[in-house]
Amino acid sequence: MSNDEVLRRIGSAGVIPVVTLSSVDDAAPLCEALLDGGLSVVEVTFRTEAVAAAIAVIAERYPEMLVGAGTVTDTRQVALATAAGALFGVSPGTSPAVVRAAHASGLVFWPGVCTPTEIERALDLGVTTMKFFPAGALGGAEVVRAILAPYLHLGVRLIPTGQIDDGSASEYWALNGVVAVGGSWIAPAGLIAEGAWDEISRRARAATVRYRALRGEYA
Ligand code: 3PG
């Protein structure tokens, strides 16, 4: 899938649910819950042993789901994510080696930044879409607006992530240059552990309805 198509899908969803799966068995019910709530995007983080298998299950059984790999911090994980069928990768920071490995393997990749210098280093690596992390802790939407201002004309686009929830997402969505937001509030580890799929679905639906209303669409 091309970079533009992945970005179009992300921009259409408005939210990237960031999930940590301790068991591959959670992958299918999670996907059912997200899809039921109107979200067809998910980022599975490299924080457990289950991640590659979970991405593979999602890629095989839920082709309508745009599945990505998160917390990708080394080149081995780039290879694992790509082999498992991930369609995008995300990292909390910007490792030139990881970015180059992702580009070499054709994986759409959004490294993390949180300063102007980091944005310029990412631009040097040929990256224009970046995760902005940890957005909430750094000051929220006002910081994102300010840091984007000098770079919008260069095509920089940000995906603010970290400490975002249903209440604050719309502040980021309103900003020029924000493609979507990422966050674990839709499917936090606690709800996944409880198998609270209805609640995850409800949260996905709430975010989808809010985002579409903001864009003048109907859910
Ligand atoms: C993360 O790295 O944990 C993600 O960016 C999600 O952050 P959040 O749990 O604060 O939403």
Side-chain angles (χ1 to χ4, degrees), residues 104-200:
S105 63
L107 182 67
V108 173
F109 198 80
W110 306 312
V113 296
C114 73
T115 67
T117 299
E118 290 168 3
I119 289 175
E120 291 176 26
R121 284 191 182 144
L123 282 169
D124 284 345
L125 292 166
V127 171
T128 51
T129 304
M130 308 161 195
K131 169 177 176 169
F132 183 78
F133 176 79
L138 290 168
E142 188 53 30
V143 172
V144 175
R145 187 197 60 74
I147 206 166
L148 263 168
Y151 300 111
L152 281 173
H153 72 289
L154 298 176
V156 172
R157 300 291 178 263
L158 295 180
I159 302 170
T161 306
Q163 303 81 42
I164 299 175
D165 60 19
D166 204 39
S168 59
S170 49
E171 295 167 19
Y172 297 92
W173 287 331
L175 300 176
N176 271 343
V178 167
V179 182
V181 300
S184 64
W185 89 91
I186 304 270
L191 288 184
I192 293 172
E194 289 166 22
W197 310 119
D198 287 351
E199 173 61 12
I200 290 170

